Amino acid sequence: MSLSQAFRDPMSKVSGTIVFFDLVGSTIMKFAEPEISWLPKIGDFLDIISSEVKKEEGGEIIKYLGDGAMAFYHIDNATEAINASIRIQVKLALQRKNGENNNFCKIGISSGKIYSAKTPNDFVDYFGTVADKAQRLCSASEKNGIFIDEATRDECRPNKITSPLGSAKSREGRDYLSKEASLWLKGFSKPVQYFEIIWDEQGFGPNVDAISYTTSGGQLKSNNSEPSPKHDIENHDQIKSNINDRTKWMKGVISANKGQFGFINGADGNTYFFDGNTSIPDLHPENSKIFFHPLPPRPGKRYPIAGNVICIGSELNGTIINKNKERSFCFVSINGARQPNANVYVSLKDEEEVENGDFVSFEIAENQFGPYAKGILRDQ
């Protein structure tokens, strides 16, 4: 039976629970590390998922998705899907604590009627709104989070949900479920109701990259029916160290571009906010590889700022500074920067003769030390 026939056949619908697992920060990891380093880390992550999604509990891995996976559970085993997800998060947390790796995961779970069909390779796959919702809930969660939809809440047996920390705290039944909340998710015409599984000390909340946002008076305003909870940023000391050296460039990748503002996954594993006031010359598209200066959050805001955002490969203009006859390099101060210290390295060995004060055009490139200007051309 072809896929189009299967999708038209009501008999192709089965009742089930779909789980999406996603490795957080894999784009940055691939950008910052050689394949021989990052590929085994992804393999370790997928091995943990495979070890915890058990057939005897009604679950099976349907497919790997590069740096994630999709699993299917029989509808009667929604609780087992939740407990397997908790075990995966606990294992990853223990590995991080023991210094074995630094993998973080987020998980989305949805239940209901879903289309089942065989692929050209004769494997069974699952399609439809339930699968889409599980994937979107996964994307909507912060790292460490487990989001489930209303149907999964209705199908699971809360008194059978368990986690090591919950057991130690004598947590029972619905103590593992957050209050009901809602999110606007891509591909859905109205807010999606969800619950977070509280497997740790507290919940981790939603990830702003996956939520629909509007701007009002320069302030971020979530389309949620109630404000999202604030969560402390991890790695405070690392952020503080980065911010203290405001001349230090950090690598990153544009994870979200909302039109008037966006977010960056920094090489330190944290999320940075940027807008037209901090990007040179303007907002860059999603997945762009960039450098930026980490700056402190604006008053009352959660996210640190990415200042002087420059895209690798972009062509910019600037002014030659700090040239000294006793050394073979200088710097170019980038035009259009709204924060100080927007200076990049220039190797005088590789470029035409320039002098302090010359206006030049150049391309942003990178080496092991950070960004540098190449292809220097003096403006005539």
Side-chain angles (χ1 to χ4, degrees):
M1 182 185 296
S2 68
L3 288 177
S4 61
Q5 290 173 323
F7 296 159
R8 291 185 177 94
D9 184 359
M11 298 301 293
S12 296
K13 273 193 169 183
V14 298
S15 295
T17 295
I18 296 292
V19 188
F20 269 87
F21 309 91
D22 184 48
L23 177 63
V24 178
S26 59
T27 301
I28 287 289
M29 183 168 62
K30 293 176 182 178
F31 174 57
E33 301 177 17
E35 184 181 76
I36 192 65
S37 174
W38 60 256
L39 194 55
K41 295 177 183 178
I42 292 178
D44 183 58
F45 171 67
L46 296 176
D47 286 343
I48 289 176
I49 294 173
S50 298
S51 69
E52 296 302 334
V53 176
K54 302 174 181 178
K55 286 190 175 181
E56 60 267 28
E57 294 182 346
E60 61 177 326
I61 298 293
I62 300 303
K63 55 188 173 184
Y64 294 126
L65 302 163
D67 49 9
M70 170 181 160
F72 173 84
Y73 281 79
H74 297 292
I75 195 69
D76 294 336
N77 299 107
T79 310
E80 284 70 25
I82 294 172
N83 282 333
S85 299
I86 291 173
R87 293 195 301 268
I88 289 166
Q89 295 289 28
V90 170
K91 276 193 172 182
L92 291 172
L94 287 174
Q95 286 191 342
R96 293 193 300 271
K97 182 178 179 180
N98 295 332
E100 297 174 35
N101 67 45
N102 196 39
N103 286 341
F104 289 87
C105 175
K106 50 187 180 180
I107 301 171
I109 306 176
S110 179
S111 300
K113 292 286 188 178
I114 185 168
Y115 282 94
S116 170
K118 286 191 175 182
T119 67
N121 292 329
D122 208 33
F123 291 106
V124 175
D125 204 347
Y126 297 89
F127 306 85
T129 302
V130 171
D132 291 347
K133 189 183 294 185
Q135 185 176 27
R136 297 303 183 197
L137 285 172
C138 176
S139 297
S141 169
E142 266 289 5
K143 61 184 180 183
N144 297 317
I146 303 171
F147 281 10
I148 69 172
D149 66 353
E150 276 190 302
T152 303
R153 188 277 313 267
D154 294 340
E155 294 293 342
C156 77
R157 303 181 301 281
N159 62 320
K160 297 295 184 181
I161 298 175
T162 184
S163 76
L165 180 66
S167 297
K169 290 181 172 292
S170 300
R171 196 175 287 167
E172 296 180 357
R174 295 192 179 275
D175 293 340
Y176 284 98
L177 298 176
S178 72
K179 292 182 179 180
E180 185 176 19
S182 63
L183 292 171
W184 286 94
L185 299 179
K186 183 178 179 181
F188 290 84
S189 60
K190 59 183 180 180
V192 173
Q193 308 301 311
Y194 77 97
F195 299 81
E196 183 172 2
I197 301 299
I198 313 300
W199 63 272
D200 203 356
E201 289 280 2
Q202 61 180 14
F204 298 93
N207 168 23
V208 295
D209 294 355
I211 305 169
S212 297
Y213 274 85
T214 60
T215 56
S216 176
Q219 303 294 318
L220 289 183
K221 184 182 290 185
S222 170
N223 285 331
N224 293 357
S225 57
E226 58 186 51
S228 301
K230 297 291 184 182
H231 299 279
D232 292 335
I233 302 171
E234 297 194 20
N235 302 325
H236 288 277
D237 292 340
Q238 181 63 49
I239 291 179
K240 186 176 180 181
S241 173
N242 292 335
I243 289 171
N244 284 341
D245 183 359
R246 299 192 181 195
T247 64
K248 180 180 179 182
W249 292 98
M250 181 183 291
K251 278 186 180 181
V253 172
I254 305 293
S255 60
N257 184 333
K258 304 295 184 180
Q260 295 179 329
F261 64 93
F263 294 91
I264 290 170
N265 288 334
D268 60 353
N270 292 293
T271 300
Y272 291 80
F273 173 86
F274 77 108
D275 59 19
N277 291 320
T278 64
S279 186
I280 308 172
D282 48 29
L283 268 67
H284 306 293
E286 292 181 3
N287 298 317
S288 295
K289 297 177 180 180
I290 53 89
F291 284 95
F292 66 97
H293 286 144
L295 303 173
R298 289 168 180 160
K301 298 300 178 182
R302 172 188 176 190
Y303 290 96
I305 303 297
N308 294 327
V309 179
I310 53 175
C311 184
I312 298 171
S314 62
E315 296 183 356
L316 301 175
N317 300 303
T319 305
I320 296 296
I321 61 172
N322 296 341
K323 182 182 179 184
N324 187 317
K325 292 182 179 180
E326 297 179 355
R327 59 191 187 189
S328 60
F329 65 91
C330 64
F331 293 88
V332 57
S333 178
I334 302 173
N335 290 348
R338 300 192 183 185
Q339 289 82 42
N341 303 313
N343 308 322
V344 291
Y345 176 90
V346 179
S347 172
L348 297 177
K349 294 180 180 179
D350 303 325
E351 303 296 343
E352 68 175 57
E353 185 66 26
V354 291
E355 300 295 337
N356 286 327
D358 283 351
F359 292 97
V360 296
S361 59
F362 55 92
E363 179 184 340
I364 293 294
E366 67 166 321
N367 58 25
Q368 67 269 35
F369 302 110
Y372 72 96
K374 76 172 185 178
I376 298 286
L377 293 174
R378 284 192 297 177
D379 291 349
Q380 301 299 322

